[in-house]
Amino acid sequence: MNHHHNHHGEAGFKRKVDYLDRPERSEVLSPEGFLTAMQIGKTASILDLGAGTGFLTIPAAKLVDNTVFALDLDAEMLKLIEEKAKEAELANVQTLEASMDAIPLEASSVDVVLASLVLHEASSLENVLSDVSRVVKTGGYFAYVEFDTKGTDLKGPPMEIQISAVKLREELARFGFEVVKNWQLDEGMYVSIAVKKA
């Protein structure tokens, strides 16, 4: 049942894909580098929130034998991820058309949740983090990339929706997560890796 139509037209979709898949994105953050910053075993199951074009989904699926769930509200993006997975002969990618605050997975069902530049788009960060906490196993990871341009002239989303590393760390603590690694990237972005405590 797919009722939402494509509002931005083919050209808009292609622009978005080109932007998300641009080579510079991997230079600022290599998906492989991001993923290997955590000790992800072959048997880990991974959820990519707001998966977009599969920037993290596809490299993650190559890394593990278990399922990698790609969650996005955009059915077209998910179709694109399915095509990329097929091209790369990856049978372990499963797409989920859903919102980040209503993850259609069971409690404590995934080892790692990834979120690259999508948390600031959430209408309620609290609801998203609460649901992430619900689906991640104890000892599992939540790794995310966000913008904190600190009001400099770097591009990024509007300052008022940016979420600083400090704010996210405080919010996550309320949901049982402890940030264990945090580092800055170019262009005013940062990466944090949080572990879910018992």
Side-chain angles (χ1 to χ4, degrees):
M1 299 277 293
N2 199 346
H3 293 304
H4 62 246
H5 304 291
N6 181 357
H7 303 298
H8 39 227
E10 277 311 307
F13 179 69
K14 186 173 173 350
R15 259 203 313 278
K16 192 172 170 183
V17 169
D18 289 346
Y19 175 73
L20 291 171
D21 277 354
R22 68 196 188 284
E24 305 86 68
R25 190 172 173 193
S26 297
E27 285 164 25
V28 176
L29 175 70
S30 114
E32 293 76 12
F34 179 47
L35 292 163
T36 51
M38 291 162 278
Q39 305 299 307
I40 301 179
K42 276 280 185 209
T43 57
S45 54
I46 299 175
L47 165 64
D48 186 7
L49 287 185
T53 60
F55 178 73
L56 292 173
T57 305
I58 301 300
K62 291 176 179 170
L63 199 67
V64 297
D65 299 329
N66 210 330
T67 310
V68 175
F69 298 99
L71 180 142
D72 206 287
L73 274 175
D74 190 330
E76 270 192 284
M77 285 291 183
L78 295 175
K79 219 166 78 191
L80 183 72
I81 289 176
E82 285 167 7
E83 285 162 16
K84 285 186 179 182
K86 214 163 113 181
E87 241 167 78
E89 296 180 3
L90 295 165
N92 58 338
V93 172
Q94 193 181 326
T95 55
L96 304 170
E97 190 180 335
S99 160
M100 295 188 284
D101 56 10
I103 303 167
L105 293 174
E106 285 176 32
S108 305
S109 59
V110 290
D111 298 289
V112 181
V113 175
L114 308 170
S116 177
L117 306 178
V118 291
L119 294 177
H120 63 267
E121 290 175 9
S123 47
S124 162
L125 181 64
E126 196 174 337
N127 292 353
V128 173
L129 298 183
S130 162
D131 219 30
V132 166
S133 179
R134 182 183 65 79
V135 299
V136 175
K137 296 173 187 172
T138 300
Y141 293 104
F142 178 37
Y144 49 89
V145 186
E146 266 307 325
F147 283 102
D148 183 11
T149 58
K150 301 182 174 70
T152 55
D153 55 3
L154 292 163
K155 24 183 215 306
M159 274 311 292
E160 59 273 17
I161 64 166
Q162 291 186 25
I163 316 163
S164 72
V166 175
K167 179 172 162 37
L168 256 173
R169 182 165 59 226
E170 287 167 1
E171 289 287 321
L172 277 166
R174 294 171 43 209
F175 296 101
F177 284 96
E178 185 190 330
V179 172
V180 288
K181 274 186 191 174
N182 186 73
W183 70 95
Q184 296 294 321
L185 301 169
D186 294 344
E187 295 182 20
M189 290 180 242
Y190 66 89
V191 178
S192 291
I193 294 172
V195 171
K196 187 178 171 186
K197 298 292 181 192

